[in-house]
Amino acid sequence: MTVDVRRRIGGLDVARGLAVLGMFAAHLRVGGELHPDPRTWTAVVDGRSSVLFATLAGISVALLSGRDRPPEGSELGRVRVRIVVRALWVFAFGLVLEALGTFVAVILGVYGVLFLLVLPFLRWPVRRLLVTAGVVAVVVPPLLVIAGQVLTTTGAAQGLLASLLVTGYYPALLWIAFVLVGLAVGRLDLASGAVRLRLAAAGAAAAVLGYGGGWVSTRLLAGGAPSAGPETGFTVPGVFDVDWLTGAEPHSGTTFDVLGSTGFAVLVVVGCLAVTERLPRLTAPVAAVGALALTVYATHLVAIRVLVEVAPGRVQGPVLWLWFAGAALAGAWGWRRTVGRGPLESLLTWTSSRAAGLAPSAPAL
């Protein structure tokens, strides 16, 4: 079956849009600590929005590289060139946005690195991708603790490469697990109801095992206190505490966190695919944010920088998030209807397509 890779999948754009809006909320301190109390449910955006964003990166790579038919030969080479060019641009955007000096942990630098790290896996079958992601989720968290301590001892923990791969807010050596899961999901027939049901079941099982296992682990090994994450060990060279590998708190980097967050991301993707098919007009503004995700993300960081200058100490809260979200939804929807691709998306598409010897109108990532 020949697949038209130019046709965007609206449900994935909606999921990406939700991820961007969720990161807005996390950056503006809308969340907090998640509890059964419904008043705390806004905290679901913390950590999980960025994981959803990374998982969708893997799905996008799958769509760019033939969906259920991985590329080979010269086509594989062209796909790799396109991904490398995009990765370099995204990395550069990340450096520029970091230079703004906001309080936000910018994900784009690591995002670019993840695009490069996924290149060797483009032709791997789904099962092998999922197994590898599972191995990363189990093996890498304790290794990050040890590597972080070594880097701290040698004074290299704050270096750019160390921060991107190990000690940063989004350590790429661990976050590649989310991209691999996304790549595996993107290789499936996402239009199939049976496939969606299996994905939903797998996502639910992963979420229950991850968050349930995290809850149990804190009570068995950490005395009921949630883990502060492996980062805690980076400041205590030579000390290893098993508590750092317990719990499933956002950005804790534990196996339970990875498993639970991945399951949550898959559930959101499946849900968005189903809802968007039934309510395409209602979800169109969110889909527009997802289609212009890079431009919208960069714009909101510039806006935060401006607000930091003119209204320091007031750049947070649900009201401000509503203003940000409303502007993003209206602006992206209007741009999408009148212009099409966002400016940063157009730059990535044009340059990567030309570098690969393709027409500038080649499908976007």
Side-chain angles (χ1 to χ4, degrees):
M1 179 181 67
T2 301
V3 179
D4 180 11
V5 295
R6 295 176 185 270
R7 181 174 58 84
R8 297 188 70 91
I9 300 177
L12 297 180
D13 279 337
V14 170
R16 193 176 294 108
L18 290 177
V20 171
L21 296 176
M23 285 191 286
F24 283 14
H27 299 161
L28 298 174
R29 309 292 194 269
V30 172
E33 191 170 345
L34 188 61
H35 294 291
D37 185 346
R39 290 175 295 181
T40 70
W41 288 358
T42 54
V44 74
V45 300
D46 292 337
R48 298 169 187 86
S49 298
S50 50
V51 169
L52 174 59
F53 201 51
T55 304
L56 286 161
I59 297 177
S60 296
V61 170
L63 301 186
L64 183 69
S65 59
R67 298 196 181 188
D68 59 343
R69 292 173 179 261
E72 56 186 17
S74 60
E75 178 60 25
L76 177 61
R78 285 192 292 269
V79 167
R80 284 176 171 162
V81 168
R82 294 185 69 193
I83 293 174
V84 168
V85 172
R86 289 165 183 268
L88 295 176
W89 273 118
V90 170
F91 184 80
F93 294 153
L95 292 180
V96 171
L97 294 172
E98 285 278 8
L100 293 177
T102 67
F103 51 79
V104 175
V106 179
I107 195 174
L108 294 186
V110 172
Y111 210 62
V113 172
L114 291 172
F115 279 134
L116 297 179
L117 291 180
V118 80
L119 289 175
F121 303 97
L122 293 181
R123 287 193 48 79
W124 281 31
V126 170
R127 186 182 299 274
R128 190 187 301 175
L129 289 170
L130 294 176
V131 169
T132 303
V135 170
V136 170
V138 173
V139 173
V140 171
L143 292 181
L144 288 184
V145 175
I146 297 170
Q149 291 184 332
V150 171
L151 291 169
T152 299
T153 302
T154 60
Q158 300 305 315
L160 179 60
L161 185 60
S163 178
L164 289 169
L165 296 178
V166 178
T167 61
Y169 209 59
Y170 312 103
L173 292 183
L174 180 62
W175 279 60
I176 188 63
F178 304 126
V179 181
L180 293 177
V181 170
L183 182 58
V185 170
R187 292 288 184 225
L188 303 175
D189 180 8
L190 296 178
S192 167
V195 169
R196 292 182 186 179
L197 285 175
R198 288 197 295 270
L199 281 175
V208 170
L209 287 174
Y211 295 127
W215 183 85
V216 171
S217 68
T218 59
R219 278 142 186 84
L220 293 181
L221 300 174
S227 168
E231 299 87 2
T232 306
F234 300 162
T235 60
V236 190
V239 176
F240 184 94
D241 192 334
V242 72
D243 291 1
W244 298 332
L245 303 179
T246 64
E249 294 298 298
H251 292 296
S252 62
T254 68
T255 298
F256 304 111
D257 173 33
V258 175
L259 187 59
S261 298
T262 301
F264 179 84
V266 171
L267 284 172
V268 171
V269 169
V270 174
C272 288
L273 290 170
V275 171
T276 304
E277 285 184 353
R278 290 163 176 76
L279 302 170
R281 292 185 178 180
L282 185 63
T283 56
V286 182
V289 172
L292 277 68
L294 183 57
T295 296
V296 171
Y297 180 88
T299 301
H300 106 280
L301 287 176
V302 173
I304 286 177
R305 178 58 189 170
V306 172
L307 288 174
V308 167
E309 290 293 329
V310 301
R314 293 163 50 184
V315 191
Q316 60 181 359
V319 174
L320 185 58
W321 175 80
L322 287 173
W323 279 105
F324 269 64
L329 290 165
W333 183 76
W335 184 285
R336 187 74 176 152
R337 285 176 62 87
T338 57
V339 180
R341 282 182 181 143
L344 297 186
E345 289 76 14
S346 294
L347 175 63
L348 264 65
T349 298
W350 189 85
T351 54
S352 63
S353 298
R354 291 300 297 267
L358 301 174
S361 60
L365 188 63

